[in-house]
């Protein structure tokens, strides 16, 4: 990928690192990054109708000779197999390889926004106490993906991901949502909100059933809407697909709207009848499609879901927006570390409930990223550096380079260079202030296999992990623009900025005169000067 650009980056790295320096870098902190390619995925979820008894129901879609497709609503024949509402062009959605393989837990909605964090943050502590109090029933929910229909949405770690964080009541604080099982083969959705220094339960209803009828659910959020949307698909020969819109601005909650698509099978005639309802009133197919397509077209967050999910629109939305679901272990770990990154207090700083990120998008890219110069991470004293270039879409290219001229051998008298050329994508770019943005690394692709070696021009090259970057999908980086408040930046970040400039932390001007990229996981920082 654009090898000529990498050559320029490598030359730039060599200039910054000081190619003449010999020996291994002893000025750099322990490097724990790994160079594995990662991709993010997605998550859908929905609400459940209460039903204490899970009925062993029929079948997976049996298609008959007379399979009908009506304006994007896919119906089967006898036994009626549906794939949700499937509105619009969802039938043309192809599997594009966006799987959860090798990415572990992802956190698309939690680690966003601004605000300093501490391990003792009261919101994190309250949610952590809640999860630990209910750990037995949360961990008893083991059948979330047992009957997965779309393997692209199944986590590769092989464990349930029953927990999500999202603001569902418009308070500006992200709420805790989790699925738990207190009875065999059934599961409930529970939602807790933070109020008056404690976590309070605001919802608790059945959501999932392990039965032959292949019950499906998905929870999601819609742009510009504080409410929670819950999709469910359930039944046997008679089948219902529903979307419930719930408001939690009143206690316990208010069902704002309900959209039901009901399939009825007449055993005598073998015919299918489809009825459309909005708020329990009969509507035409066209009215129904217009109302629900407006919902599907504006999905911004896909939260919790189960393995039976087969609604193509929700699957596509999950692939596009990323999944917010977490395993129990990772959710607790994030809370124990103050939210895992920049938003430990779970406050949505721009007040838009994470539904409409203020990215400054100018139509062709993200305005804040348009003029970012080349960013460098270096001590200014060793023969190493990491160089990064980010374009206005959040796509990045880079090279890590570490020259060790004294590390020689047969065929490489000029030394050894540890190197990583890579590309990737930053996503979830959120505006915290006019001079500060946060973003998450959605993907990272090294160009060489770990440990790969080759000799060229009497130099041995060894593929290595880049220093200064985390190659996971949970770390949320902070991008600083010239004009940012230096007094609010971490000392670790400022020390890395000051090192190649040969100045102390207290000598860096306020406001910040450079571009900077801060990695909170390793406490490292890149800098760039547009006046170069």
């Amino acid at each position: 990928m654009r090898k000529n650009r990498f050559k320029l980056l490598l030359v730039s790295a060599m200039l910054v690192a000081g190619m003449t320096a010999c020996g291994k870098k002893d000025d750099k902190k322990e490097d724990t990054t790994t160079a594995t390619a990662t991709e993010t995925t997605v998550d859908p979820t929905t609400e459940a109708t209460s039903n204490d008894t899970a009925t062993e129901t029929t079948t997976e879609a049996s298609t008959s000779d007379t399979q009908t497709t009506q304006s994007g609503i896919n119906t089967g024949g006898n036994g009626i197999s549906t794939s949700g509402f499937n509105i619009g062009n969802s039938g043309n959605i192809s599997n594009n390889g966006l799987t959860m393989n090798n990415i572990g837990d992802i956190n698309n909605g939690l680690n966003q926004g601004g605000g300093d964090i501490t391990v003792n943050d009261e919101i994190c502590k309250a949610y952590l106490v809640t999860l630990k109090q209910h750990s037995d029933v949360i961990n008893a929910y083991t059948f979330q993906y047992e009957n997965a229909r779309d393997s692209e949405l199944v986590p590769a770690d092989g464990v349930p991901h029953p927990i999500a964080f999202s603001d569902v009541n418009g308070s500006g604080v992200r709420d805790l949502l989790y699925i738990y099982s207190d009875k065999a083969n059934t599961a409930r959705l529970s939602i807790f909100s933070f109020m008056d220094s404690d976590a309070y339960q605001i919802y608790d209803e059945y959501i999932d059933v392990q039965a032959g009828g292949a019950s499906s659910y998905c929870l999601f959020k819609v742009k510009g809407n504080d409410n929670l949307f819950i999709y469910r698909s359930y039944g046997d020969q008679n089948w219902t697909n529903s979307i419930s819109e719930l408001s939690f601005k009143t206690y316990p909650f208010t069902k704002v709207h309900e959209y039901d698509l009901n399939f009825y099978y007449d055993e005598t005639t073998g015919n299918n009848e489809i009825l459309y309802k909005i708020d329990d009133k009969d509507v035409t197919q066209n009215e129904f499609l217009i109302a629900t397509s407006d919902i599907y077209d504006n999905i911004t967050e896909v939260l919790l879901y189960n393995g039976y999910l087969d609604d193509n629109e929700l699957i596509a939305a999950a692939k596009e927006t990323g999944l917010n679901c977490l395993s129990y272990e990772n959710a607790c770990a994030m809370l124990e570390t103050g939210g895992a990154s920049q938003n430990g207090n779970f406050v949505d700083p721009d007040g838009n409930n994470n539904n409409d990120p203020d990215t400054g998008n100018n139509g062709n890219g993200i305005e804040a990223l348009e003029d970012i110069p080349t960013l460098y991470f270096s001590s200014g004293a060793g023969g190493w550096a990491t160089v990064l270039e980010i374009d206005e879409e959040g796509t990045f290219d880079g090279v890590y380079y570490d020259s060790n001229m004294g590390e020689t051998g047969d065929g490489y008298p000029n030394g050894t260079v540890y190197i990583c050329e890579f590309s990737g994508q930053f996503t979830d770019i959120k505006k915290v202030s006019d001079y500060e943005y946060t973003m998450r690394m959605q993907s990272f692709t090294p160009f060489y296999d770990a440990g790969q070696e080759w000799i060229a021009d009497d130099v041995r090259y060894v593929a290595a992990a880049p220093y200064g970057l985390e190659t996971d999908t949970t770390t949320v980086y902070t991008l600083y623009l010239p004009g940012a408040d230096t007094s609010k930046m971490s000392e670790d970040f400022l020390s890395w900025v000051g090192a190649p400039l040969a100045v102390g932390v207290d000598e860096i001007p306020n406001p910040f005169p450079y571009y900077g990229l801060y990695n909170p996981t390793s406490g490292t920082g890149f800098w760039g000067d547009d006046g170069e």
Side-chain angles (χ1 to χ4, degrees):
M1 175 181 177
R2 300 197 296 266
K3 295 298 291 183
N4 58 335
R5 185 177 182 186
F6 278 116
K7 289 179 181 178
L8 293 174
L9 287 174
L10 182 56
V11 170
S12 184
M14 292 162 59
L15 291 173
V16 171
M19 185 87 172
T20 57
C22 297
K24 202 70 177 157
K25 49 197 165 295
D26 55 9
D27 57 323
K28 113 182 172 179
K29 303 176 184 178
E30 182 181 359
D31 184 4
T32 58
T33 57
T34 56
T36 53
T38 60
E39 287 185 352
T40 39
T41 47
V42 236
D43 251 28
T45 57
T46 61
E47 171 193 355
T49 308
S50 298
N51 192 345
D52 287 346
T53 59
T55 308
E56 195 65 290
T57 54
T58 70
T59 73
E60 225 182 284
S62 62
T63 56
S64 73
D65 293 337
T66 58
Q67 176 169 345
T68 328
T69 302
Q70 300 190 19
S71 298
I73 300 181
N74 293 346
T75 68
N78 297 336
I80 306 181
S81 164
T82 70
S83 52
F85 297 134
N86 293 347
I87 295 169
N89 296 322
S90 61
N92 296 325
I93 296 173
S94 61
N95 296 337
N96 56 10
L98 294 179
T99 70
M100 293 187 77
N101 292 335
N102 301 320
I103 70 166
D105 281 294
I106 63 175
N107 182 25
N108 203 20
L110 176 62
N111 291 339
Q112 295 178 345
D116 296 330
I117 66 170
T118 64
V119 174
N120 295 322
D121 178 82
E122 60 177 352
I123 303 176
C124 293
K125 289 177 64 178
Y127 286 163
L128 183 61
V129 167
T130 299
L131 288 181
K132 291 189 173 181
Q133 286 177 339
H134 300 91
S135 61
D136 290 346
V137 290
I138 295 174
N139 290 318
Y141 180 50
T142 59
F143 58 89
Q144 185 176 17
Y145 308 116
E146 284 187 2
N147 296 284
R149 289 186 175 177
D150 192 312
S151 60
E152 292 184 288
L153 300 184
V154 179
D157 57 15
V159 299
H161 288 214
I163 299 168
F165 298 94
S166 182
D167 183 4
V168 300
N169 58 13
S171 67
V173 174
R174 289 179 175 84
D175 305 296
L176 165 64
L177 303 86
Y178 65 80
I179 312 292
Y180 71 95
S181 181
D182 59 352
K183 293 182 180 180
N185 301 320
T186 63
R188 301 175 71 92
L189 165 65
S190 187
I191 302 176
F192 282 77
S193 189
F194 184 81
M195 297 177 287
D196 300 326
S197 301
D198 204 354
Y200 289 90
Q201 188 179 62
I202 60 175
Y203 185 84
D204 189 78
E205 296 288 341
Y206 279 98
I207 188 84
D208 198 5
V209 176
Q210 187 179 32
S215 175
S216 174
Y217 73 83
C218 177
L219 282 67
F220 61 95
K221 297 292 296 295
V222 169
K223 180 179 179 180
N225 193 321
D226 294 334
N227 301 329
L228 177 67
F229 289 78
I230 302 179
Y231 166 89
R232 291 196 69 226
S233 180
Y234 51 90
D236 190 359
Q237 285 187 325
N238 298 325
W239 201 271
T240 297
N241 291 343
S242 70
I243 295 177
S244 298
E245 179 183 352
L246 305 183
S247 170
F248 293 94
K249 292 184 177 179
T250 58
Y251 184 81
F253 64 89
T254 300
K255 184 175 289 186
V256 179
H257 293 297
E258 173 107 13
Y259 306 86
D260 294 316
L261 189 157
N262 300 304
F263 299 91
Y264 295 99
Y265 174 64
D266 189 327
E267 293 185 354
T268 303
T269 64
N271 294 328
N272 301 323
E273 182 181 10
I274 304 175
L275 298 180
Y276 307 91
K277 291 181 179 291
I278 298 179
D279 300 333
D280 208 30
K281 296 180 180 179
D282 291 334
V283 296
T284 66
Q285 180 191 46
N286 190 53
E287 291 172 328
F288 185 87
L289 291 176
I290 290 174
T292 53
S293 62
D294 187 59
I295 295 172
Y296 280 120
D297 289 344
N298 290 286
I299 294 175
T300 56
E301 284 187 271
V302 180
L303 304 171
L304 302 170
Y305 71 105
N306 72 351
Y308 272 120
L309 183 67
D310 57 4
D311 183 291
N312 287 340
E313 294 283 354
L314 291 173
I315 291 172
K319 292 174 181 177
E320 181 178 352
T321 66
L323 294 172
N324 287 11
C325 58
L326 296 166
S327 69
Y328 177 84
E329 179 180 349
N330 280 4
C332 289
M334 296 174 77
L335 295 173
E336 287 169 347
T337 56
S341 70
Q342 297 299 295
N343 199 20
N345 57 8
F346 287 35
V347 174
D348 185 25
D350 51 20
N352 59 25
N353 308 321
N354 202 34
N355 287 327
D356 188 15
D358 183 6
T359 59
N361 195 313
N362 63 7
N364 298 312
I366 299 168
E367 189 173 357
L369 304 184
E370 282 185 345
D371 300 317
I372 295 180
T374 301
L375 299 176
Y376 303 95
F377 173 57
S378 163
S379 69
W384 67 274
T386 303
V387 181
L388 193 63
E389 288 194 352
I390 307 172
D391 69 16
E392 63 184 20
E393 300 294 339
T395 300
F396 63 85
D397 297 321
V399 60
Y400 161 70
Y401 161 88
D402 180 9
S403 172
N404 295 271
M405 312 315 276
E407 193 173 324
T408 62
D410 292 340
Y412 53 101
N414 291 338
T416 298
V417 173
Y418 294 85
I419 190 168
C420 180
E421 296 181 45
F422 55 85
S423 64
Q425 177 73 49
F426 284 112
T427 188
D428 300 336
I429 300 165
K430 295 271 291 181
K431 182 177 181 179
V432 178
S433 70
D434 287 342
Y435 306 104
E436 183 178 343
Y437 286 73
T438 58
M439 54 190 184
R440 181 176 59 83
M441 187 182 292
Q442 182 184 50
S443 64
F444 177 89
T445 304
F447 282 20
Y448 313 115
D449 295 332
Q452 180 180 344
E453 296 186 15
W454 66 97
I455 295 176
D457 299 326
D458 296 328
V459 175
R460 179 176 68 131
Y461 291 88
V462 181
Y467 187 41
L469 295 173
E470 308 302 313
T471 57
D472 58 42
T473 60
T474 60
T475 297
V476 175
Y477 297 79
T478 298
L479 173 68
Y480 296 112
L481 307 183
D485 188 348
T486 305
S487 67
K488 294 183 178 179
M489 299 176 182
S490 77
E491 187 170 337
D492 281 342
F493 170 73
L494 293 175
S495 67
W496 281 111
V497 170
L501 298 173
V503 299
V505 169
D506 56 355
E507 297 178 85
I508 298 176
N510 193 5
F512 193 63
Y514 311 110
Y515 288 82
L517 183 68
Y518 175 52
N519 175 351
T521 299
S522 60
T524 52
F526 290 72
W527 71 275
D529 186 356
D530 59 359
E532 297 179 306

